[in-house]
Amino acid sequence: MTKYLIKKEFLLSAHPMTYVFMFFGVMLLIPSYPYYITFFYVTLGLFFSFMNGRENRDLYFDAILPVSKKDTVRAKTAFVWIVEIIAVVFSVPFALITQRINPNGSNLAGIEANVAFYGLSLIMLAVFNAVFLCSFFKTAYKVGKSFLFACIPTAVFIAAAEVADHMPVIGDFLEGKGGQLVQLPVLFVGIAVFAVSYFAVNKQCAKNYEKVDL
């Protein structure tokens, strides 16, 4: 049943801008640009989808279906992670291209579109998802408030990551001056955090949503 609910998310609940922002990986071609913003737009698209669902009473529709609240949560969290995975994978070719064509030779605005960038971006998305979804499912309608709460730690994470990129030693590592292979642990940690957070967030959201009286 969950797979049909996920299909409903993509075909009925998703806002058109979600699909537009999902392919903003092309922004990695912009020279000297804060590349974390690329994936922040993805979270903005997800916000539009949840707002769209609220205005169209999507959760009320789910409530009259022969599905549990846990099924609804699984579908919406899966929708979020799938959108983000597609956005990250789609951006990879542009990250490879920008390293070759950047006229400045490097990203003067922040971190390069390299292996460490992807690992940290996955952690950033995991942080956003945890705060946004857990907050949203406490009420099932305060989308704007939940998005604002999620933006705060996400912005702090981005700021800290960019500051670290300009620090001695750490900055050289994040810039890949020792080679991108040595950055693989950051990518693996990012993947692990992103994957584990899915199950943790899904479980917590289900608990929160069970207490909501629609």
Side-chain angles (χ1 to χ4, degrees):
M1 181 59 71
T2 303
K3 67 178 182 180
Y4 295 110
L5 290 176
I6 295 174
K7 184 177 181 180
K8 183 214 67 174
E9 292 295 323
F10 279 95
L11 297 180
L12 298 178
S13 301
H15 190 279
M17 287 306 297
T18 300
Y19 296 113
V20 175
F21 290 143
M22 192 163 60
F23 299 110
F24 261 36
V26 295
M27 294 178 69
L28 294 181
L29 295 177
I30 301 175
S32 298
Y33 187 79
Y35 291 141
Y36 290 109
I37 302 301
T38 300
F39 297 128
F40 179 77
Y41 275 111
V42 178
T43 67
L44 183 61
L46 292 168
F47 163 67
F48 286 156
S49 283
F50 275 75
M51 183 69 77
N52 187 58
R54 188 193 68 179
E55 298 307 312
N56 289 293
R57 298 182 177 274
D58 178 62
L59 289 176
Y60 290 95
F61 174 71
D62 285 353
I64 64 175
L65 297 176
V67 298
S68 66
K69 284 186 173 181
K70 288 184 178 180
D71 289 331
T72 297
V73 170
R74 289 194 195 100
K76 288 195 174 294
T77 53
F79 167 73
V80 169
W81 261 262
I82 290 171
V83 166
E84 291 172 346
I85 290 171
I86 292 174
V88 170
V89 173
F90 177 79
S91 72
V92 172
F94 300 102
L96 297 174
I97 294 172
T98 195
Q99 293 180 32
R100 294 179 176 275
I101 68 172
N102 192 324
N104 298 317
S106 63
N107 182 9
L108 302 179
I111 193 171
E112 297 289 330
N114 55 27
V115 171
F117 162 72
Y118 278 97
L120 293 172
S121 292
L122 289 172
I123 296 175
M124 180 197 77
L125 291 172
V127 169
F128 172 85
N129 295 343
V131 179
F132 176 67
L133 291 173
C134 290
S135 175
F136 171 74
F137 279 108
K138 284 183 178 180
T139 63
Y141 70 90
K142 292 184 178 180
V143 186
K145 183 178 180 180
S146 299
F147 182 70
L148 178 61
F149 283 167
C151 283
I152 295 173
T154 302
V156 171
F157 181 88
I158 292 174
E162 291 291 31
V163 168
D165 187 66
H166 291 86
M167 294 176 64
V169 183
I170 297 177
D172 291 340
F173 172 75
L174 294 177
E175 286 294 303
K177 292 183 179 179
Q180 293 194 44
L181 287 179
V182 299
Q183 296 179 328
L184 285 176
V186 180
L187 177 61
F188 294 150
V189 169
I191 293 173
V193 170
F194 187 73
V196 172
S197 66
Y198 169 76
F199 298 100
V201 170
N202 186 64
K203 184 177 181 180
Q204 185 59 49
C205 286
K207 287 183 179 180
N208 292 346
Y209 193 37
E210 286 291 345
K211 300 176 184 178
V212 176
D213 184 4
L214 295 176

